Amino acid sequence: MHMKKQILSLCVGAALLAPHFATAQKTLQVAVNAPKGDIQPTMWGVFFEDINMGADGGIYAELVKNRSFEFFKPMMGWTVLGNKATEGDLLVVNRYAEKPSNPRFLRATVRNAAKGEMGLVNEGFKGMGFKKDLRYDFSVLYRQAAPGVKLHVELVDSTSKVIGSTVVALPKSGEAWEKATASLTATATVPKGRMNLWLEGSGRVDLDMISLFPTDTWKGRPGGMRADMIQMLADMKPGFLRFPGGCIVEGYDLSQRYQWKNTIGPVEDRQLIINRWNFEFAHRPAPDYFQTFGLGFFEYFQLAEDMGAEPMPILNAGMACQFNSAELVPLDELDPFVQDALDLIEFANGDTTTRWGRERAKMGHPAPFHLKMLGIGNENWGPQYIERLKVFTKAIKEKYPDMVLITSSGTDPDFKPFSPEGFNYLDTTLRTMKADVIDEHFYRTPDWFFANANRYDNYPRNGPKIFAGEYAAQSDKPVSIRNKNNMQTALAEAAFMTGMERNADVVNMASYAPLFAHSEGWQWTPDMIWVDNLRAFGTPNYYVQKLYSLNRGNKILPVTLDKENVAGQDSLYASAVLDTKTNEVIVKLVNASGKAQDVALNLQGAKKLAAQGKLTVLQASDLNMVNTLNDPMALAPKESTIAVKGKNVKLAAQPYSFSIVRIKM
Ligand code: AHR
């Protein structure tokens, strides 16, 4: 709907095969003196979901896998060391009645053991990454009738060589759980290490929450996040942070839905559940993928605040994933779900005299998080969604009339057999309901993205705003393991984003998805940022997102090629913005063809331009080019200057390039 078929985009494929030669100059008119709408500060943001080992084993810096023995297989991640332990000496015990949120612990019966005779090794998440000279903090909860056992913690490399060790005394006794801590420093950098835990002495001791964190976490927070990964997000200066997903919000069934109240408070009380991506794809099984919620809603809010991004939580709408069990909460049983939404707003914004505001303060943040928007449901569809959405909307708007609600338009406007009928039904109904924001998702081929660079040109200017909440060009096809984050997909997204930017009066927010993937632990590709245990790199798609975000401006400028929107003519795509705070004109141009193209920028009505502008270019000689862990910057933006003559700039748009020209007025 609202879509003019883009015939010219069909030329892209042919043009890509053309030899590299410059063609006759085209003129791009930018109406600097006629801004036509505002660009929201939220325009370009990030979408986080715990998929591809995004949280546990990813940004959550905990190195110990299955630290509290709650995985389906209680000893998953752990292997017994030494030959002293006999049957039952290392036993996982379940105290569900006493502590349902964290029922299991390890009971060790130690009989006159010397170091090296009885212990456990934890394999980490695809190994543990250790850095030379970095301090690591170990902690454990323990309980015992009488002291008698001490622990030896060792960091080891893949050959079992010890590269750091410490001794942990367990001095206290009694019924209560106590915490013991110790620190140790790695003497070598190791990408795939492990942690040994030896028990020495005699006695019976209960152990739980066996944990190891690096100390170089984001903002140095103990038990915090992996700084290198978060820095890549912060560098983008995202306008918003959407969390916690994605399908993870919905769950395979409702028991596996994301429940924010289970993710706050002391980490040992946060009830672990299976990660739905554990078993979603038979071709990428991840039997050790769980959500420990060490990273929960408090941490997401805090991260958004750290980055200056608006927090955008998405809540379950009383519906499990409709691709999976499609389980539904009956309408007359929806109250607890709606209450969760109301309580979340209080948790984020309520003062410290309120029940949930107090919880936030107890976690160390008495000031509100200034939540302004909230998503109800992810990729839900059909009348069942609308019925539930109406209940949420009424209750939330009654109490918080200014809260902006983000609503789902289903899975994908072009996804068969859901669409076009499914999408049109939701779109029409949501507009009739006067929804605030409609969330659209696109996992389509590069050709689709090029062809849809004009998607929003004819969208209604009044009514709901659009949040392009998930999109990524698929070099093969959706959910294919052959999808690559190559230059072709990055250019296709950059072209599509010119259309969003030209229509930023309608499209108020957009985010690429998914965000992170571990090179050994992924389920879904393509992804914006790839990591291993020690390294992280941005794909060309990351650089496209970052360049848009860092060059966002606050006013839309009309830009035309021969009086038409530039959406595919000669494989060119363009948008332009004004930044009234820095007084700069910013022009973005995608040349999706394999030939250089001379483009004359004419900045109509601009007064007194600087003689020189800044040119940033992301370019590849080959559309299949990718970045890798070993060559992370093969494709990265390059900066130079560009001459400005009066109101004119001559831009030689390189083959397969995304260029940004930034000129001071
Ligand atoms: O981004 C991966 C998944 O794609 C999200 O969880 C879901 O919303 C979409 O289908």
Side-chain angles (χ1 to χ4, degrees):
M1 58 157 280
H2 314 302
M3 216 194 305
K4 208 165 56 175
K5 267 286 159 217
Q6 177 57 265
I7 302 156
L8 285 162
S9 68
L10 297 175
C11 303
V12 171
L16 297 179
L17 302 172
H20 300 193
F21 56 84
T23 51
Q25 180 176 298
K26 285 126 202 136
T27 301
L28 207 64
Q29 305 279 357
V30 181
V32 180
N33 53 353
K36 68 165 190 165
D38 290 336
I39 299 168
Q40 298 305 315
T42 49
M43 182 71 191
W44 309 113
V46 289
F47 157 94
F48 180 82
E49 174 166 20
D50 190 2
I51 183 173
N52 304 318
M53 274 174 55
D56 287 282
I59 61 172
Y60 185 49
E62 172 66 88
L63 292 170
V64 176
K65 182 163 81 182
N66 193 15
R67 64 186 172 190
S68 65
F69 309 97
E70 305 297 337
F71 286 16
F72 285 161
K73 294 187 179 164
M75 289 297 281
M76 198 173 224
W78 296 94
T79 307
V80 173
L81 291 179
N83 50 17
K84 187 99 181 174
T86 56
E87 197 178 335
D89 285 349
L90 291 168
L91 193 66
V92 176
V93 178
N94 195 317
R95 51 164 167 181
Y96 184 79
E98 182 194 331
K99 200 169 175 66
S101 61
N102 178 7
R104 298 195 199 132
F105 61 87
L106 183 78
R107 174 157 291 168
T109 306
V110 192
R111 291 182 203 86
N112 198 22
K115 185 192 162 204
E117 289 187 328
M118 180 176 174
L120 294 160
V121 56
N122 189 276
E123 66 191 29
F125 300 89
K126 314 290 172 194
M128 296 180 183
F130 298 128
K131 294 178 196 160
K132 187 172 186 299
D133 297 332
L134 186 66
R135 201 189 83 218
Y136 290 81
D137 289 343
F138 172 86
S139 66
V140 61
L141 296 181
Y142 71 98
R143 180 174 70 171
Q144 60 193 352
V149 175
K150 64 180 170 189
L151 304 176
H152 295 266
V153 182
E154 290 175 345
L155 312 183
V156 296
D157 69 11
S158 53
T159 66
S160 298
K161 185 175 154 213
V162 177
I163 58 153
S165 64
T166 190
V167 183
V168 188
L170 306 176
K172 297 198 177 149
S173 49
E175 288 296 299
W177 285 90
E178 306 288 348
K179 186 170 185 173
T181 59
S183 294
L184 61 172
T185 299
T187 56
T189 293
V190 166
K192 282 167 95 62
R194 286 165 292 151
M195 183 189 76
N196 291 344
L197 191 65
W198 296 105
L199 297 130
E200 185 193 341
S202 291
R204 199 184 79 179
V205 60
D206 295 339
L207 303 173
D208 196 11
M209 298 298 288
I210 303 172
S211 168
L212 184 72
F213 270 90
T215 49
D216 64 345
T217 51
W218 169 251
K219 295 205 174 278
R221 292 195 184 112
M225 300 187 204
R226 224 178 103 171
D228 60 336
M229 292 172 73
I230 299 298
Q231 190 62 54
M232 293 195 68
L233 302 186
D235 288 348
M236 296 171 74
K237 299 196 191 318
F240 63 86
L241 171 68
R242 172 179 165 191
F243 58 88
C247 293
I248 214 157
V249 172
E250 303 161 76
Y252 181 90
D253 59 23
L254 286 168
S255 72
Q256 291 168 13
R257 74 189 189 279
Y258 197 99
Q259 299 187 60
W260 73 267
K261 286 175 183 165
N262 293 345
T263 75
I264 61 164
V267 282
E268 61 272 22
D269 295 338
R270 301 184 190 182
Q271 192 176 357
L272 165 151
I273 60 171
I274 193 169
N275 186 308
R276 55 153 298 122
W277 300 108
N278 179 310
F279 54 86
E280 177 73 21
F281 299 126
H283 55 279
R284 295 292 302 172
D288 55 353
Y289 202 2
F290 288 78
Q291 298 186 82
T292 63
F293 297 121
L295 188 58
F297 259 38
F298 177 84
E299 289 77 18
Y300 289 127
F301 275 114
Q302 197 175 38
L303 176 60
E305 183 177 73
D306 290 346
M307 299 192 299
E310 294 292 343
M312 186 203 285
I314 309 286
L315 294 183
N316 187 294
M319 308 174 76
C321 179
Q322 288 160 285
F323 287 114
N324 299 147
S325 71
E327 196 184 353
L328 275 180
V329 180
L331 282 175
D332 58 2
E333 291 172 26
L334 206 53
D335 280 1
F337 288 72
V338 175
Q339 194 58 47
D340 273 359
L342 297 173
D343 291 344
L344 179 65
I345 299 171
E346 188 175 288
F347 177 72
N349 295 350
D351 67 41
T352 53
T353 62
T354 61
R355 155 127 201 253
W356 291 102
R358 206 161 39 241
E359 291 299 322
R360 183 192 68 239
K362 271 202 269 176
M363 294 186 73
H365 202 289
F369 282 122
H370 305 293
L371 176 69
K372 300 189 190 98
M373 53 189 162
L374 181 62
I376 306 299
N378 171 69
E379 289 195 356
N380 295 125
W381 65 75
Q384 295 165 329
Y385 173 60
I386 295 294
E387 286 168 352
R388 281 157 188 77
L389 177 66
K390 283 182 176 162
V391 179
F392 276 90
T393 305
K394 184 166 180 296
I396 297 171
K397 291 284 185 182
E398 254 169 37
K399 194 158 179 199
Y400 301 103
D402 295 334
M403 187 58 56
V404 172
L405 295 185
I406 292 158
T407 57
S408 161
S409 67
T411 168
D412 182 323
D414 280 356
F415 177 76
K416 305 275 179 304
F418 167 77
S419 283
E421 296 77 17
F423 175 80
N424 289 344
Y425 161 75
L426 285 176
D427 189 78
T428 311
T429 312
L430 292 171
R431 286 175 191 280
T432 313
M433 282 168 65
K434 300 198 186 323
D436 297 324
V437 179
I438 300 177
D439 182 6
E440 298 185 352
H441 295 181
F442 314 107
Y443 294 102
R444 296 276 129 201
T445 60
D447 281 352
W448 184 95
F449 279 89
F450 285 121
N452 279 271
N454 60 357
R455 175 179 180 83
Y456 296 110
D457 289 355
N458 299 311
Y459 258 49
R461 293 351 252 185
N462 300 316
K465 301 297 180 193
I466 299 299
F467 167 38
E470 295 181 30
Y471 62 93
Q474 317 283 298
S475 65
D476 188 26
K477 57 182 183 222
V479 194
S480 161
I481 56 169
R482 284 184 292 277
N483 285 325
K484 295 272 178 276
N485 285 98
N486 60 20
M487 187 62 180
Q488 185 193 26
T489 58
L491 276 184
E493 289 148 14
F496 184 64
M497 290 164 81
T498 59
M500 295 202 245
E501 191 166 74
R502 281 189 285 101
N503 293 287
D505 53 328
V506 171
V507 184
N508 280 186
M509 296 178 287
S511 44
Y512 182 97
L515 192 50
F516 287 114
H518 190 289
S519 57
E520 291 179 53
W522 59 272
Q523 295 80 46
W524 180 295
T525 180
D527 306 288
M528 195 162 89
I529 297 167
W530 285 78
V531 306
D532 66 8
N533 290 342
L534 291 175
R535 299 172 293 177
F537 75 91
T539 59
N541 316 74
Y542 167 78
Y543 289 112
V544 166
Q545 295 292 321
K546 184 173 169 184
L547 288 174
Y548 267 93
S549 189
L550 297 184
N551 292 286
R552 78 181 61 185
N554 57 354
K555 300 270 175 211
I556 309 163
L557 294 179
V559 50
T560 50
L561 187 71
D562 299 332
K563 301 205 172 101
E564 282 193 18
N565 281 336
V566 202
Q569 303 93 313
D570 292 321
S571 306
L572 294 174
Y573 302 81
S575 56
V577 302
L578 191 65
D579 189 330
T580 57
K581 289 181 208 122
T582 59
N583 225 10
E584 283 170 297
V585 182
I586 307 165
V587 181
K588 304 189 178 79
L589 181 77
V590 173
N591 177 10
S593 76
K595 57 184 190 225
Q597 303 209 54
D598 288 333
V599 179
L601 307 186
N602 178 237
L603 305 173
Q604 291 167 325
K607 285 182 196 143
K608 275 209 170 178
L609 292 168
Q612 190 164 275
K614 184 167 111 182
L615 174 65
T616 310
V617 181
L618 179 70
Q619 196 266 341
S621 52
D622 175 354
L623 287 175
N624 292 315
M625 270 180 84
V626 294
N627 289 338
T628 61
L629 281 163
N630 292 327
D631 195 0
M633 302 291 277
L635 291 169
K638 296 197 174 50
E639 289 182 5
S640 60
T641 54
I642 188 161
V644 182
K645 294 230 166 76
K647 294 185 172 91
N648 299 305
V649 179
K650 278 196 175 159
L651 174 63
Q654 299 175 45
Y656 307 139
S657 64
F658 173 41
S659 306
I660 298 179
V661 180
R662 200 169 173 126
I663 305 166
K664 265 249 182 270
M665 293 200 288

